[in-house]
Amino acid sequence: MNINIAIDGPSGAGKSTISQKLAQRLGYIYIDTGAMYRAVGLYALNQGRDTKRADEVVPLLPAITVEISPATDGQQVFLNGENVTDKIRTPEASIAASDVSAIPEVRAKLLSLQRETAAKNNVIMDGRDIGTQILPNAQVKIFLTADVEDRARRRLEQLTLQGVNTTFDDVLKDMQYRDKQDSSREAAPLACAPDALAVDTTGNTFEQSVEQIYAVIAEKLDNLQKIHNYKPHWFFKFAKGLLKGFFKLVFRYKVIGAENIPQDEVVIVCANHNSLLDPPFLGANLPDNIGVMAKEELFRIWGFGKLIRKLGAFPIRRGQHDIAAVRTALQVLKAGKSLIIFPEGGRFKSGTEVKGKNGAAMIAVRARVKILPMGIIGTFKPFRKMRLNVGKPIDLSEYYGKKPETSDYNEITANLLRVIGELKELRIEN
């Protein structure tokens, strides 16, 4: 499994220098997307073009090649074969980079190269929209920021060391311009991804910032490794076999559409929910590599909470936006484990009209996984016939790479509940 680390943030936050240092420390490849845009902006400036106008910049794109090469003294940037590492760091190139990055055709030209590299390697990639647009499935996302005056001072020191003659006021104006430009542009604006961790380095030295962010990454990677390397305990397998035998004997159930259950593909399993026995019933009939999102109250029960954690469950606070639970869900999916989520948001008796919650839809789109709908048919009464009707996975790829509105998630959830409703209406005699 290749690890992708996305570091976003405003101009001058120290993304490039910190990312380079972290890449060296971790042994990852560093990809400076900002340098790519600076190179394109520099080329447009050299050709006398208005970098704000797409009609003047786009015709230049076929003649532009940008290459990034690692070196002992840092990353080297080549524009059409010329080393422009120092030239792209001037205030003029900085503003030009912000201008051209708002042009969709420029972004499209550089996007494929960035994603292709990340798919094949462990990488740290920094920029403005890495976690939201370029690498939405990055296992670690950080939004790096600092006070604008602090960022301007850092950039001035960097430019002075490079021999660039400028003033603090000019650099500060450049920062303020870029902040406004990057945050308000239509094409992939600067934004903190919902599952990213914001890190403020105001007042830090470079070394302090590196250590602060390294600690965040190390913790994330450690948790990810634990999830990825998780092997079902012998008790889990024993309990699963016991449960399956129990359900077979007592409820005489059958699985209909078992061929729709993917064995090697990560999915979100969604079903109707009217009993405490629903989660173990589903888990007994799914591959071992499964997690369950369960209400927080269950984890407060002495002994039981510890048990269900070992069996792959994690808590969610119902009735509020639980960002921590969403992040955990995304980590579980990215680590190769499927997930059980009940879109109804609670237990409801069969036939009850339910609007549903958008959590499953939102997580599925962000993680870029399919939803596997299931219908639990019958009630858990001894020796009554039960059925588990498995539908075909729902593909949500039309929403990938976009920013779905609430109305989109409402539509996905409504369709999901409709499919589940049809699955649970199957005649019990079948």
Side-chain angles (χ1 to χ4, degrees):
M1 177 179 67
N2 290 323
I3 300 295
N4 292 171
I5 299 174
I7 299 183
D8 290 309
S11 176
K15 301 183 301 296
S16 297
T17 52
I18 291 172
S19 295
Q20 288 183 63
K21 189 69 174 179
L22 292 171
Q24 291 174 0
R25 192 164 175 176
L26 293 167
Y28 287 14
I29 291 177
Y30 167 61
I31 303 175
D32 180 3
T33 59
M36 295 179 173
Y37 287 105
R38 286 171 179 271
V40 174
L42 177 63
Y43 186 82
L45 285 176
N46 291 341
Q47 299 300 313
R49 304 300 175 91
D50 185 343
T51 54
K52 292 182 180 180
R53 295 188 54 173
D55 60 336
E56 291 195 25
V57 175
V58 172
L60 301 176
L61 295 180
I64 298 176
T65 61
V66 180
E67 297 179 21
I68 296 179
S69 176
T72 55
D73 57 345
Q75 172 184 266
Q76 302 296 301
V77 182
F78 294 86
L79 171 62
N80 294 343
E82 177 190 357
N83 190 327
V84 293
T85 305
D86 293 332
K87 293 180 181 179
I88 63 172
R89 297 300 172 183
T90 64
E92 294 78 15
S94 175
I95 291 174
S98 184
D99 291 340
V100 301
S101 67
I103 301 174
E105 290 83 355
V106 174
R107 306 194 71 83
K109 177 179 179 67
L110 301 178
L111 180 61
S112 60
L113 174 61
Q114 295 160 1
R115 284 182 175 169
E116 182 181 348
T117 305
K120 297 178 180 178
N121 302 279
N122 293 329
V123 304
I124 292 182
M125 188 181 298
D126 75 271
R128 301 291 190 277
D129 61 346
I130 309 303
T132 55
Q133 299 291 329
I134 298 175
L135 299 179
N137 289 329
Q139 291 90 341
V140 182
K141 297 181 183 179
I142 293 173
F143 190 83
L144 180 62
T145 188
D147 178 83
V148 65
E149 292 189 353
D150 200 13
R151 290 187 278 127
R153 279 190 290 271
R154 295 176 188 175
R155 178 55 59 83
L156 178 61
E157 290 176 4
Q158 182 185 37
L159 293 172
T160 301
L161 288 173
Q162 294 173 355
V164 178
N165 185 22
T166 186
T167 66
F168 174 79
D169 288 341
D170 286 342
V171 176
L172 179 60
K173 288 178 182 178
D174 171 37
M175 290 285 177
Q176 293 170 335
Y177 174 85
R178 291 206 67 180
D179 285 353
K180 182 178 179 180
Q181 180 86 348
D182 293 341
S183 299
S184 60
R185 69 191 183 205
E186 289 187 12
L190 170 68
C192 180
D195 54 336
L197 181 64
V199 178
D200 191 323
T201 62
T202 300
N204 282 5
T205 64
F206 173 72
E207 291 74 17
Q208 288 171 334
S209 295
V210 169
E211 290 304 320
Q212 182 181 359
I213 298 167
Y214 178 78
V216 171
I217 293 175
E219 182 180 2
K220 290 272 188 181
L221 293 181
D222 183 57
N223 291 337
L224 186 65
Q225 199 65 29
K226 287 178 180 177
I227 295 172
H228 184 68
N229 292 338
Y230 169 78
K231 300 296 182 184
H233 192 269
W234 66 267
F235 176 74
F236 176 89
K237 293 188 175 183
F238 173 75
K240 179 178 177 179
L242 193 65
L243 278 172
K244 195 166 186 177
F246 168 77
F247 284 121
K248 283 279 188 183
L249 177 65
V250 178
F251 302 109
R252 299 187 296 162
Y253 80 92
K254 290 183 179 180
V255 178
I256 303 167
E259 67 277 5
N260 292 327
I261 301 176
Q263 299 301 310
D264 300 314
E265 181 181 2
V266 173
V267 295
I268 293 179
V269 177
C270 292
N272 52 306
H273 191 21
N274 54 28
S275 169
L276 280 171
L277 291 177
D278 292 336
F281 180 54
L282 293 174
N285 290 282
L286 291 168
D288 289 343
N289 206 18
I290 193 82
V292 183
M293 183 181 284
K295 64 179 181 179
E296 186 182 37
E297 294 83 346
L298 294 177
F299 294 84
R300 298 173 187 165
I301 302 174
W302 187 85
F304 183 70
K306 188 175 182 180
L307 174 64
I308 60 177
R309 279 187 187 277
K310 287 188 175 181
L311 295 179
F314 61 93
I316 181 171
R317 295 189 298 272
R318 296 190 300 176
Q320 56 185 291
H321 297 292
D322 191 345
I323 301 299
V326 172
R327 286 175 177 162
T328 301
L330 291 170
Q331 279 192 325
V332 168
L333 293 165
K334 290 173 185 176
K337 292 182 66 174
S338 292
L339 190 62
I340 297 174
I341 300 178
F342 294 101
E344 293 172 333
R347 298 199 308 275
F348 295 91
K349 292 183 179 180
S350 183
T352 304
E353 188 71 24
V354 181
K355 181 180 179 182
K357 306 295 183 182
N358 289 339
M362 179 187 67
I363 293 170
V365 171
R366 289 183 183 173
R368 301 193 176 198
V369 299
K370 296 176 182 178
I371 294 179
L372 183 65
M374 294 187 177
I376 300 175
I377 308 163
T379 57
F380 289 101
K381 293 183 178 179
F383 309 111
R384 297 281 186 91
K385 289 182 178 180
M386 295 284 297
R387 296 290 183 269
L388 179 60
N389 194 13
V390 184
K392 294 185 179 298
I394 299 173
D395 188 348
L396 301 175
S397 58
E398 63 181 289
Y399 298 97
Y400 299 168
K402 299 179 181 179
K403 191 175 182 181
E405 303 289 339
T406 300
S407 58
D408 294 317
Y409 288 130
N410 288 341
E411 183 179 350
I412 295 171
T413 301
N415 179 61
L416 173 60
L417 292 178
R418 178 187 60 78
V419 172
I420 292 174
E422 293 174 354
L423 291 171
K424 71 180 183 181
E425 291 302 318
L426 187 70
R427 289 175 61 84
I428 199 69
E429 290 80 15
N430 289 348

